[in-house]
Amino acid sequence: MGRHTTARTRRRMLLPLLALALAAVLGAATWVAVAVARSDPGCEPARVIVAASPDIAPAVTRTARDLKLDCVAFDVQARESLQVADELSGTAPRPQAWIPSSTLFLRRADGVPVSGPSVASSPVVLAVAEPIAKGLGWPRKPLTWPEVLGSPGIAAGMPDPVRDPVGVSALLALRDVAGDTTDPTGAYSALLRKFAATTSGATVYPASENAVLRHNAELTAGETALVAAYSPSALSLDYPFVEIAGANEHQGRAVAALKRALLQGSATSTRSGLRAPGGQALRLAETDQRVEAQGQRSAEIPAATEVDKALSQWAGVNVSARAQVLIDVSGSMSAPVPGTGESRLRITLEAAENALHLFKPTSQIRFLAFATKMDGERDYREILPMAPVGDQLAAVDRLRAVRAVPDGQTGLYDSVLDVYRLARKEWAQGKLNLVIVMTDGRNTDPGGVSRENLMAELGKLRDPDRPVPLIAIGIGPEADETELAQIVAPAGGQVFLSRDPAKIGEVFYGALGRIAGAG
């Protein structure tokens, strides 16, 4: 994790905030406060090293200078919090005090307290390009996360939550956005898939309020300002102050004096753009109207298990997939879906097409249709060959052209077994290998493999080191949940039902999310 900061360029609307953070690290020597006062000629100043997140380091530097302690030299170093956490877990020289951007970093370092008093705060917000914000009615009304993320045409990005507490805060807050839906897990998965795993080129992305303020204060010609959208479920950056063991008595007194001054609010001056620890009203001489100056409460710091779960969910939905998608085209799939004017097959194909947008661009998909005797004696045929998502989207007319076989039976068992064998043969390392079967009924092919033999063969094919989960999506009231559960079990799969075929899209998204680790 590391602080989310801003970068300047004239050639892009919005760029990731990484560049400025890197500049701050490389220029750490710029933020050095040396305060030596009323020293005797023979005094050897006690050097006190304070590692501080780059966004608070200037304020800490000013505070150290103003202390004017006898025979003390403060060395305030702007250091990325993740780098310091890693160094504290190793053998590198240790500072006497550390102010990371978030308490979450304290859990990653060895030999430091797991908490410390907060000396400042900055809410985590959605940074929204001003033209998009105006299109949503701002400044007549404040922006909300659901409204922003539901807006068409946005390019949403996410800072790496493994490195950046801003990303962790956003992942936890997004759960709240999805929480009011009928299928929170599926909605959360679909919501996460809106975010690219980068902020490069994004028009909406999580950032600290402080980063938004600095971005807007440093605008150059052709750049776009950012508007902050707030969420009460977002965890603020809290800048904890921790003392590192090993300081001598003189250094310890100096660290204690610096800590007292910071706890009295010296880091939350007008110049810093940081709030007091409780999120009190932002103190700015001329408030940037693109942020809300009133007080902002932070969500509670989550348990480590909750953070781990959020990171696993993010990793799950961002992994590239290699999926075989089997679509039932037997005669029953031509049945109309009440209230839609469309058939079960048409709605299923639309769900499959829309689901293409949920896969990462590096994913590869194959579509197959099955009934009975679709290709000679074989019960299935290929609709679209294995290809990247972009290629499938370009060829989607071939998917839309699929029709149900009027007298076709449901050759479920033979089709699943053959395609599962194909998936095992084509297994790709580093990808989420899947077989997805979408059907509205049970197997009705009397000349095919039996259910018992199918289950036995799938059990033989299963390899824990090269997993290929089998996902069954039952469509409509005739889908046999018991049968589907039995055939997916040997492959370590799951069953999802859409008794109302009109809701197949929602079920499909939820299935992808759960099997990818978002549930």
Side-chain angles (χ1 to χ4, degrees):
M1 295 180 289
R3 181 184 56 89
H4 197 62
T5 54
T6 56
R8 306 268 62 85
T9 179
R10 292 181 172 85
R11 291 190 299 272
R12 296 183 181 177
M13 175 186 289
L14 298 170
L15 282 179
L17 305 178
L18 183 60
L20 185 58
L22 179 60
V25 173
L26 296 177
T30 303
W31 302 114
V32 175
V34 179
V36 181
R38 299 187 299 277
S39 301
D40 295 331
C43 170
E44 180 66 30
R47 182 172 181 243
V48 177
I49 300 174
V50 180
S53 178
D55 40 4
I56 198 173
V60 177
T61 297
R62 290 190 292 270
T63 300
R65 284 175 176 156
D66 292 343
L67 286 176
K68 296 183 173 62
L69 298 180
D70 287 340
C71 210
V72 173
F74 280 104
D75 180 356
V76 181
Q77 301 177 353
R79 303 280 305 283
E80 286 297 329
S81 301
L82 178 63
Q83 180 184 8
V84 177
D86 290 343
E87 290 179 357
L88 288 171
S89 300
T91 58
R94 300 162 72 86
Q96 280 69 58
W98 181 30
I99 310 174
S101 61
S102 170
T103 293
L104 297 179
F105 282 114
L106 302 180
R107 299 173 177 173
R108 299 187 59 153
D110 292 336
V112 301
V114 295
S115 65
S118 172
V119 298
S121 70
S122 186
V124 169
V125 303
L126 276 183
V128 184
E130 191 169 28
I132 292 175
K134 289 181 176 179
L136 293 172
W138 177 88
R140 297 188 308 276
K141 60 177 183 176
L143 300 175
T144 67
W145 285 38
E147 181 181 34
V148 170
L149 296 173
S151 176
I154 65 169
M158 180 71 71
D160 183 359
V162 175
R163 305 178 61 84
D164 193 332
V166 167
V168 172
S169 175
L171 293 181
L172 297 171
L174 289 171
R175 285 185 186 173
D176 187 62
V177 176
D180 292 333
T181 62
T182 56
D183 180 10
T185 300
Y188 184 57
S189 171
L191 193 57
L192 292 186
R193 290 178 187 276
K194 288 179 179 285
F195 288 84
T198 177
T199 56
S200 178
T203 55
V204 172
Y205 56 89
S208 70
E209 179 187 69
N210 180 265
V212 171
L213 285 168
R214 286 183 287 111
H215 173 96
N216 292 343
E218 300 165 7
L219 286 176
T220 59
E223 290 185 321
T224 301
L226 299 173
V227 178
Y230 294 79
S231 168
S233 301
L235 174 68
S236 297
L237 302 185
D238 63 338
Y239 304 97
F241 188 108
V242 292
E243 301 171 47
I244 308 298
N248 61 36
E249 184 178 356
H250 198 174
Q251 290 172 323
R253 287 197 300 269
V255 167
L258 177 63
K259 179 180 177 181
R260 283 194 300 271
L262 291 172
L263 289 174
Q264 290 169 2
S266 64
T268 57
S269 65
T270 300
R271 296 169 63 183
S272 72
L274 294 169
R275 294 176 182 262
Q280 287 86 339
L282 194 62
R283 293 191 287 171
L284 292 176
E286 296 180 2
T287 302
D288 184 340
Q289 297 301 310
R290 302 178 190 89
V291 302
E292 297 180 12
Q294 64 265 32
Q296 299 290 334
R297 294 182 63 86
S298 171
E300 295 294 325
I301 296 174
T305 54
E306 284 300 300
V307 174
D308 291 343
K309 181 180 179 181
L311 295 176
S312 295
Q313 290 169 328
W314 173 249
V317 299
N318 276 277
V319 70
S320 294
R322 184 177 179 87
Q324 321 275 349
V325 181
L326 264 168
I327 299 174
D328 189 347
V329 294
S330 60
S332 59
M333 288 292 284
S334 61
V337 177
T340 68
E342 296 185 305
S343 68
R344 292 177 184 174
L345 178 59
R346 184 57 40 209
I347 288 179
T348 300
L349 292 172
E350 289 174 358
E353 178 182 341
N354 291 335
L356 281 171
H357 298 280
L358 299 182
F359 287 101
K360 286 177 66 67
T362 50
S363 294
Q364 295 180 307
I365 317 292
R366 173 185 282 118
F367 287 99
L368 308 105
F370 77 95
T372 48
K373 294 182 169 50
M374 294 284 293
D375 183 9
E377 291 299 311
R378 198 168 65 176
D379 288 343
Y380 62 93
R381 65 176 176 84
E382 188 176 77
I383 306 169
L384 289 172
M386 184 65 73
V389 168
D391 293 351
Q392 303 295 36
L393 288 170
V396 77
D397 284 345
R398 291 168 60 187
L399 186 63
R400 295 171 182 169
V402 172
R403 298 291 182 266
V405 179
D407 299 322
Q409 298 300 307
T410 307
L412 177 63
Y413 296 167
D414 284 350
S415 299
V416 166
L417 182 55
D418 282 358
V419 173
Y420 195 84
R421 285 171 173 156
L422 177 63
R424 292 289 299 114
K425 180 181 178 181
E426 296 182 347
W427 191 88
Q429 181 139 18
K431 291 185 180 292
L432 179 65
N433 294 262
L434 293 170
V435 173
I436 301 171
V437 57
M438 306 172 74
T439 180
D440 72 340
R442 63 176 64 195
N443 183 76
T444 56
D445 179 11
V449 65
S450 68
R451 185 188 306 181
E452 291 74 19
N453 286 340
L454 169 65
M455 295 170 61
E457 290 301 313
L458 290 176
K460 294 175 185 177
L461 290 168
R462 185 177 182 181
D463 181 351
D465 295 327
R466 297 161 65 91
V468 182
L470 173 59
I471 311 305
I473 300 178
I475 306 164
E478 289 84 27
D480 190 327
E481 181 177 9
T482 300
E483 177 184 58
L484 294 176
Q486 287 178 346
I487 67 175
V488 304
Q494 297 184 48
V495 174
F496 301 87
L497 293 180
S498 179
R499 293 301 187 194
D500 180 356
K503 296 181 179 179
I504 180 61
E506 182 178 336
V507 173
F508 199 166
Y509 305 156
L512 288 178
R514 286 187 178 91
I515 202 64

